Amino acid sequence: MGVKIVNSNFSIFTTNNADGLKNILHLQLRSLKYTLPVILLVLSIHVAAQVKRIGIPFIRNYYPAEIPSGAQTWMIDISKDGLAYFANNDGVMEFDGLYWRTYPLPGGIVVRCVHTASDGRIYAGGFNQIGYFITDEGGLMRYKSLSELVPKTNQNFGEVWKIHELPYGIVFQSYKQLMIYSNGGVNILKAPESFHFSFLVNSELYINDQQEGLFRLAHDRLVKIPGVDLLKGQLIWAMIAKGNNILIATADMGIFEFNGYQLTEWASPNTDFFKNNQVYCGMAISDDTYAFGTIQDGLVLCDSSGTILQHINIDKGLQNNTVLSIQIDQYGNLWLGLDNGIDYVEINSPLTYFTDYSNLSAGYAAVLHDGLLYLATNRGVFYQDWEKLQTNAAEQSFAIVPGTQGQAWDFKVVDGTLFCGHNSGIFTIDGTQATKISEVQGGWTFIQPEDRDDLLICGTYTYLVKFENVDGKWVDRGKIKGFMESSRFLVNAGPQKIWMSHGYLGVFRIHFNEAYDSVTKIEIYNSNNGLPSDENINVFEVFNKAVFTTEKGFYEYDVRTNSFIPDEMMRNIFPQESIQKIHRDETGNIWYFTMNNAGVYRLQEDGTYFNLDVPFRELEGRFIKYFQFVYPLNEDHVIFGIQDGFVHYSPKFPKNYQHGLTSFIRKTILVSLDSTIYQSGKTEMTISTPIPYKFNQLRFEFTASDFENPSSMQFSTFLEGFDSEWSAWQSRPVREYTNLDHGFHTFRVKARNIFGKESNVSSVIFEILPPWYLQWWAYVIYLLVIAVFIYMMAIYVRYRMEKSKRQEKERQKRLFKEREKQLQTEALEAEKEVIRLRNEKLSADMKQKDKELANNTMQMIQKSKSLISIKKELSKLAREINDENIRHKTNLLIRKINREIDTENQWEVFESHFESVHEEFLKRLKAEFPDLTPREMKLCAYLRLNISSKEIATLMNISTRGVEISRYRLRKKLRLSHDTNLTEFIMTF
């Protein structure tokens, strides 16, 4: 049973087919990890046996100022891991797909040659210098010079131009000698006169001596090649295997073919080109395809007959026309070392380009008509002879059709007439002549009604325009009345009806009269009629029916409900919901576009469809949004419109999209120090030096050897013990970790290219030391601290026990004293209580005496009032009585009454009672205010008892006014202010 491999062209290779066997073997070998790298490279080159002749391969320019590098690159080689190395003026340059690194030779000399050997070493040579680079334990590339192994008499060997790896050693070639490095030593073979260049062809090393001719190295001696005397004295720049023969390119005489015994001029139709443009380098890129770099006119790719398949120079995208070196990489593409810069030419691709190097710009439509390929661009309609495009590598530019300058939108061929929709109107094009047949601006597209082959309707910015075929000539019948909308997408909906989709308003069904000169009815369908929205709805004719694309998938018109429903048939065949545009070619394949990508559903023999989008992933984001375009010219040629021109796709081009991909961890960086601790190009590595815990924040930089689409590379990472699963795919080639735990860690990374191919898993093992508090000496300190702690605890416990005993004694003493003090306090409290009770009793007695004194005083006041009243009556009576005797007796009574109201006696009685109640008051008052009179002392005593002024007047036998005057005088003697109350002062004194 055969093995089936699906490529871009769906070719089926079986084990009975030699080419298929090579493909199978190639894929199987690529799955092995770094085994048989030379066979892998040979097989990958053999698969890329076809070079496209139409269009210009994609070219990526690496400018010296951007890399940075020296201007000239003299040799290029690809390592078994897929890294590219360049012998450059500034040193050996390494490129991994994302990062460039430069490794200079001692003294900064120009590196003329570089070779990646099977032992992993990178050999290099320059002026009086040979040696190799090798990765040290820290992952850094270190240079080991071999010049000191050369005998001293031969150490002035000048520039080293070539390096070759033979079974018995590494051969360095300078103009003066060959230096064979083997078994730790260097053997010397002197040049007969002066070597020029050397070439390894079919495992044989040939060396050209500028005077003596061509030699072959036979282990340790030079053997003269017979039959090539014609080349004696000529500079040979390239020797390439052509089957069992050898192609020999000279500086001035062109290219010769040597069969081992006879030299003939290569029978190439381009002999003059090779002579005039001076071949400088060359190599076989397959069994029958060769690449030559010239000094004057860039790169040419030829077949075995010498016919130029591709000619790429500065006019087609190279930085420079002088190609100093060529190398094919693991993907079958070419690296070019130029006189100024480095270029990458993607020859192993089914995609080639017509862009500004072909005099084109943004592409909108294409059509092949009468042997000419017409392209509609934003600058006009351009054309080129289709046969020349396929056969003549020099004819890859286009010329404009005069009069079509401006935006061109679409083409339509009807009955042998080529129509062109243009911003300025509608044209017919015949050969290289364009005729404007309508002035209606903005011709979007064309459609023929299904019931009228003699009519053509053009949708424009604002109208529908009608054309009629009259006697074989198309005549403009003007605008169709009754409809004024931009009509970019038109599909027949039956007799006298068409569908038109509008970018913002939904879908229109337009009904025409029988003559198609006016619209009789317009039906509008949008989100109210089953469509998911009003916007971004397009209509196309597929499987002889109208198919509507939306953001939610395919829809179709349902006649029964006069609305739209999901198109289940289309959805089952084409499950992608994001399809925006769709086109069915003549073989039944369905081409489609999403917003940024393209693909094709290829019709299989069993009637099913296979989705193929891998070849077009390189075009992601390059299509013109909402104006994506594809033109399947036939099974061998498909043309896409892109933002800067057109892309030619060859479905039968044998590209392998499953090439092995190698990931690399390039740097391990201590973030806190911004210091690189490991730098390597290996896939598995171990950092031997442990990392201190305080630097446990690490950043990893990684890459993968994808030269075709490096900017589209994605990475997934995993750190054992930290991540729970692989990270999501992301384009950033950096991963940073913080606060990593101590111990051993393994960081892993894998890559995925734009075609979905995953790489190997690269890893780096590293150790983070424990923090200082977890080091062995820290544990010793911890043990000592614990021992000291236990000892101190024992002492402390003993101290605490003794202290506890002392504290208990002290507590007992304290309790005794506190009890004693408590008893004393209780006794004192009892004594205070007795005093309080005694004071209360005394206070009560004083209050009682105060009451008695007050009562006595009141009695005195009443008695005085009564006696005064009697006295007044008796005095009045005595004046009225005439009897002298009675008057005399009356006066005696009055005198007795006066004696009774004698204030002195009353005062003495009052004072004695007052002093008994208010002890020492009068004495204290007298002592404080010695100038007080007895009357004022009496007034103070009465005020002490809070007696009113009227009552005091009675007691003192004076008027109330006199009392007030006495109070005023008393205030002055007591030195009281106006705001001080006299009575309150006396009572509180």
Side-chain angles (χ1 to χ4, degrees):
M1 182 176 178
V3 178
K4 181 180 178 181
I5 301 176
V6 180
N7 278 330
S8 62
N9 59 347
F10 290 88
S11 298
I12 299 176
F13 300 98
T14 67
T15 53
N16 297 321
N17 182 296
D19 291 335
L21 183 59
K22 292 172 184 176
N23 273 276
I24 295 167
L25 180 59
H26 174 69
L27 293 176
Q28 290 175 340
L29 288 173
R30 287 296 294 174
S31 66
L32 299 176
K33 193 171 187 179
Y34 311 124
T35 58
L36 304 178
V38 176
I39 297 177
L40 281 176
L41 185 59
V42 170
L43 285 179
S44 65
I45 294 172
H46 191 83
V47 170
Q50 182 176 339
V51 173
K52 288 189 62 181
R53 304 185 69 171
I54 299 177
I56 301 172
F58 176 76
I59 301 172
R60 184 178 293 111
N61 303 125
Y62 294 97
Y63 297 95
E66 295 175 355
I67 299 178
S69 70
Q72 295 166 312
T73 298
W74 300 97
M75 187 177 288
I76 307 170
D77 204 6
I78 310 297
S79 73
K80 63 181 180 180
D81 293 333
L83 300 178
Y85 291 90
F86 305 83
N88 186 263
N89 284 357
D90 283 359
V92 174
M93 297 180 59
E94 178 190 71
F95 183 55
D96 56 28
L98 289 178
Y99 303 106
W100 291 85
R101 292 179 174 83
T102 301
Y103 306 108
L105 289 186
I109 62 175
V110 173
V111 179
R112 300 290 185 180
C113 50
V114 65
H115 174 73
T116 60
S118 57
D119 59 5
R121 295 175 178 178
I122 311 300
Y123 288 88
F127 183 79
N128 287 341
Q129 185 62 245
I130 59 173
Y132 60 85
F133 290 91
I134 193 168
T135 304
D136 64 11
E137 293 182 354
L140 298 176
M141 289 278 280
R142 302 293 185 186
Y143 180 71
K144 170 65 176 176
S145 177
L146 301 176
S147 297
E148 65 272 12
L149 300 179
V150 178
K152 290 186 177 180
T153 55
N154 302 108
Q155 287 185 355
N156 186 24
F157 46 79
E159 297 280 4
V160 177
W161 288 97
K162 301 288 183 178
I163 302 176
H164 307 282
E165 183 174 6
L166 298 176
Y168 48 84
I170 303 296
V171 179
F172 298 87
Q173 178 250 310
S174 71
Y175 287 155
K176 294 183 178 181
Q177 61 196 28
L178 296 180
M179 294 162 281
I180 305 172
Y181 172 64
S182 177
N183 299 322
V186 175
N187 296 323
I188 304 297
L189 282 179
K190 299 284 289 182
E193 291 295 335
S194 176
F195 288 142
H196 181 230
F197 280 171
S198 56
F199 310 93
L200 188 63
V201 184
N202 292 331
S203 301
E204 295 284 354
L205 182 61
Y206 296 89
I207 309 97
N208 182 38
D209 187 272
Q210 298 184 49
Q211 282 76 38
E212 298 297 325
L214 195 60
F215 289 83
R216 178 177 61 86
L217 178 65
H219 194 66
D220 57 353
R221 62 192 181 90
L222 295 174
V223 177
K224 186 74 178 291
I225 302 297
V228 291
D229 291 341
L230 179 63
L231 301 179
K232 189 174 182 180
Q234 293 293 319
L235 298 180
I236 297 176
W237 295 104
M239 293 181 67
I240 303 172
K242 182 178 180 288
N244 294 323
N245 295 347
I246 300 176
L247 293 179
I248 302 175
T250 65
D252 302 315
M253 298 175 62
I255 301 176
F256 295 85
E257 185 171 350
F258 179 60
N259 61 9
Y261 57 90
Q262 185 179 5
L263 184 71
T264 59
E265 188 174 8
W266 190 26
S268 168
N270 298 287
T271 299
D272 291 340
F273 174 87
F274 293 117
K275 288 181 179 180
N276 296 333
N277 291 291
Q278 296 178 286
V279 173
Y280 188 84
C281 56
M283 70 175 303
I285 59 176
S286 70
D287 288 343
D288 57 357
T289 309
Y290 314 104
F292 292 98
T294 70
I295 293 178
Q296 305 296 335
D297 203 10
L299 171 74
V300 290
L301 304 177
C302 304
D303 61 15
S304 57
S305 67
T307 300
I308 295 179
L309 306 176
Q310 281 281 357
H311 179 201
I312 304 171
N313 54 23
I314 196 169
D315 295 328
K316 295 180 181 179
L318 292 187
Q319 299 179 66
N320 190 276
N321 271 340
T322 300
V323 181
L324 300 177
S325 53
I326 303 175
Q327 185 58 266
I328 191 166
D329 67 7
Q330 64 269 37
Y331 301 107
N333 298 314
L334 292 181
W335 285 98
L336 305 181
L338 307 177
D339 192 57
N340 187 20
I342 297 171
D343 281 351
Y344 185 71
V345 183
E346 196 173 315
I347 63 170
N348 184 27
S349 173
L351 304 176
T352 49
Y353 298 82
F354 299 111
T355 58
D356 52 346
Y357 297 113
S358 298
N359 198 32
L360 298 174
S361 54
Y364 290 87
V367 67
L368 179 61
H369 180 63
D370 290 343
L372 295 179
L373 179 65
Y374 296 93
L375 302 178
T377 75
N378 66 312
R379 296 195 297 113
V381 177
F382 290 78
Y383 71 95
Q384 178 56 278
D385 184 276
W386 177 240
E387 185 66 25
K388 288 182 179 180
L389 280 175
Q390 298 179 80
T391 59
N392 192 334
E395 298 292 344
Q396 299 298 308
S397 61
F398 287 73
I400 193 168
V401 176
T404 65
Q405 289 84 347
Q407 176 68 64
W409 292 116
D410 196 13
F411 296 114
K412 179 76 172 180
V413 178
V414 182
D415 295 337
T417 300
L418 174 60
F419 289 85
C420 174
H422 196 279
N423 179 68
S424 62
I426 300 165
F427 292 81
T428 58
I429 300 177
D430 185 11
T432 61
Q433 301 298 317
T435 303
K436 184 182 289 188
I437 62 174
S438 174
E439 294 292 340
V440 179
Q441 293 186 348
W444 283 124
T445 189
F446 301 89
I447 186 172
Q448 280 189 287
E450 64 180 54
D451 57 341
R452 294 286 300 272
D453 292 340
D454 61 333
L455 297 183
L456 180 66
I457 296 175
C458 177
T460 71
Y461 294 167
T462 52
Y463 299 97
L464 294 174
V465 180
K466 172 186 171 183
F467 298 93
E468 186 177 3
N469 191 331
V470 179
D471 297 330
K473 183 177 181 181
W474 288 94
V475 179
D476 178 19
R477 296 303 189 189
K479 304 169 186 175
I480 298 177
K481 299 177 182 179
F483 189 77
M484 293 181 62
E485 291 289 350
S486 177
S487 304
R488 185 167 158 228
F489 297 97
L490 300 175
V491 170
N492 279 307
Q496 298 175 217
K497 294 187 291 289
I498 62 173
W499 291 107
M500 189 277 283
S501 62
H502 194 284
Y504 301 99
L505 302 180
V507 176
F508 293 73
R509 185 161 62 171
I510 306 169
H511 299 252
F512 299 89
N513 62 2
E514 187 174 353
Y516 281 91
D517 55 10
S518 66
V519 172
T520 60
K521 182 181 178 181
I522 300 173
E523 297 173 279
I524 303 177
Y525 300 87
N526 49 37
S527 56
N528 297 322
N529 307 99
L531 291 170
S533 68
D534 298 346
E535 300 177 354
N536 297 326
I537 299 172
N538 299 323
V539 60
F540 305 95
E541 183 176 350
V542 183
F543 302 126
N544 296 318
K545 71 170 187 175
V547 174
F548 298 85
T549 61
T550 74
E551 294 177 351
K552 299 295 183 181
F554 294 101
Y555 278 73
E556 64 179 343
Y557 174 68
D558 184 12
V559 178
R560 294 170 300 172
T561 61
N562 191 29
S563 63
F564 283 82
I565 60 175
D567 191 331
E568 298 300 334
M569 183 195 78
M570 292 292 294
R571 291 182 179 217
N572 291 333
I573 300 175
F574 315 113
Q576 287 182 282
E577 284 193 355
S578 58
I579 290 178
Q580 287 192 332
K581 298 187 70 174
I582 192 167
H583 173 76
R584 187 170 185 260
D585 65 21
E586 294 179 355
T587 61
N589 299 318
I590 305 297
W591 299 84
Y592 68 88
F593 290 95
T594 62
M595 184 62 74
N596 295 311
N597 296 307
V600 58
Y601 282 94
R602 286 201 175 274
L603 180 63
Q604 306 297 292
E605 292 181 359
D606 60 359
T608 61
Y609 286 86
F610 179 84
N611 182 25
L612 178 69
D613 63 355
V614 171
F616 316 113
R617 293 181 185 176
E618 294 185 60
L619 302 177
E620 180 178 352
R622 298 190 66 179
F623 298 111
I624 304 173
K625 192 174 183 180
Y626 302 118
F627 290 89
Q628 302 94 329
F629 165 77
V630 61
Y631 176 54
L633 195 155
N634 53 42
E635 292 184 354
D636 296 329
H637 304 283
V638 180
I639 296 176
F640 290 90
I642 59 174
Q643 295 171 0
D644 54 348
F646 294 85
V647 174
H648 179 269
Y649 168 58
S650 296
K652 294 184 178 180
F653 190 91
K655 181 176 176 63
N656 178 14
Y657 292 98
Q658 296 301 312
H659 274 292
L661 182 66
T662 305
S663 63
F664 302 96
I665 300 173
R666 299 312 308 262
K667 282 186 179 182
T668 303
I669 300 171
L670 299 181
V671 176
S672 58
L673 298 178
D674 193 23
S675 173
T676 299
I677 60 172
Y678 202 89
Q679 177 174 304
S680 176
K682 297 181 179 179
T683 58
E684 293 183 357
M685 62 206 80
T686 299
I687 300 177
S688 57
T689 304
I691 300 170
Y693 183 79
K694 64 180 179 179
F695 304 130
N696 64 350
Q697 182 177 356
L698 271 66
R699 182 169 67 249
F700 300 93
E701 293 182 1
F702 34 84
T703 185
S705 57
D706 180 12
F707 301 138
E708 290 186 330
N709 300 278
S711 61
S712 300
M713 187 66 59
Q714 293 182 317
F715 301 92
S716 179
T717 59
F718 179 76
L719 180 61
E720 291 183 4
F722 188 91
D723 294 324
S724 59
E725 60 184 8
W726 284 86
S727 69
W729 292 102
Q730 60 178 12
S731 58
R732 188 167 181 262
V734 176
R735 182 71 190 273
E736 188 170 312
Y737 294 90
T738 59
N739 298 323
L740 293 176
D741 292 333
H742 65 278
F744 283 92
H745 300 268
T746 301
F747 175 75
R748 305 183 188 278
V749 64
K750 58 184 178 181
R752 182 176 69 181
N753 65 17
I754 197 173
F755 305 119
K757 174 66 177 178
E758 290 190 15
S759 72
N760 64 306
V761 176
S762 292
S763 62
V764 58
I765 301 173
F766 59 96
E767 180 188 7
I768 294 181
L769 293 174
W772 64 268
Y773 50 82
L774 294 180
Q775 299 284 354
W776 65 267
W777 50 266
Y779 285 106
V780 173
I781 293 176
Y782 298 153
L783 291 176
L784 292 176
V785 170
I786 291 172
V788 172
F789 177 76
I790 293 173
Y791 175 74
M792 295 301 295
M793 282 299 296
I795 295 176
Y796 178 72
V797 169
R798 187 179 305 138
Y799 166 76
R800 289 289 296 175
M801 291 175 64
E802 293 177 356
K803 182 178 179 180
S804 179
K805 290 179 181 179
R806 292 196 302 270
Q807 288 178 341
E808 182 62 23
K809 290 181 181 179
E810 293 294 331
R811 191 177 69 83
Q812 293 298 330
K813 289 181 181 180
R814 186 173 64 257
L815 289 176
F816 177 78
K817 289 182 180 180
E818 289 176 354
R819 182 59 180 167
E820 183 179 21
K821 185 176 181 181
Q822 182 180 1
L823 293 174
Q824 291 176 353
T825 302
E826 290 176 354
L828 183 59
E829 290 294 329
E831 185 177 350
K832 287 181 178 179
E833 183 64 20
V834 170
I835 293 172
R836 186 184 64 78
L837 293 174
R838 185 184 300 134
N839 289 338
E840 287 180 355
K841 184 176 181 305
L842 291 174
S843 178
D845 291 345
M846 187 175 68
K847 288 180 179 179
Q848 182 62 32
K849 288 181 179 181
D850 239 2
K851 289 180 180 179
E852 291 176 354
L853 178 60
N855 290 335
N856 289 335
T857 304
M858 294 305 297
Q859 289 176 4
M860 288 173 60
I861 293 170
Q862 292 299 326
K863 177 182 176 182
S864 296
K865 286 182 178 181
S866 299
L867 291 176
I868 292 172
S869 179
I870 294 170
K871 177 182 175 182
K872 288 181 179 179
E873 290 297 327
L874 288 176
S875 296
K876 181 178 179 183
L877 183 60
R879 286 192 299 269
E880 294 177 353
I881 297 175
N882 294 323
D883 189 341
E884 191 68 27
N885 187 29
I886 294 173
R887 183 184 299 127
H888 176 71
K889 288 182 178 182
T890 300
N891 288 331
L892 288 175
L893 289 173
I894 291 171
R895 282 194 291 275
K896 286 183 179 181
I897 289 171
N898 287 334
R899 285 196 296 272
E900 285 297 327
I901 62 177
D902 182 9
T903 58
E904 292 297 330
N905 288 333
Q906 292 179 5
W907 169 251
E908 290 176 1
V909 174
F910 174 80
E911 184 177 18
S912 63
H913 288 291
F914 183 84
E915 289 292 342
S916 64
V917 176
H918 300 279
E919 297 179 358
E920 305 297 329
F921 172 74
L922 295 175
K923 292 181 180 179
R924 286 187 286 108
L925 189 63
K926 187 65 175 176
E928 182 71 22
F929 305 101
D931 56 342
L932 293 178
T933 64
R935 179 178 290 274
E936 291 169 343
M937 294 290 287
K938 289 179 183 181
L939 178 59
C940 290
Y942 296 146
L943 290 174
R944 177 81 173 187
L945 295 176
N946 200 20
I947 299 174
S948 66
S949 297
K950 186 176 180 181
E951 292 171 341
I952 292 174
T954 303
L955 289 172
M956 295 184 67
N957 197 19
I958 59 177
S959 65
T960 302
R961 174 66 178 169
V963 173
E964 292 300 327
I965 293 173
S966 298
R967 288 171 64 96
Y968 175 75
R969 291 173 178 170
L970 179 61
R971 287 179 64 89
K972 291 183 65 177
K973 288 191 176 183
L974 294 178
R975 300 183 293 276
L976 299 178
S977 61
H978 294 290
D979 55 352
T980 302
N981 187 281
L982 175 62
T983 303
E984 289 182 0
F985 176 78
I986 295 298
M987 292 183 71
T988 57
F989 185 78

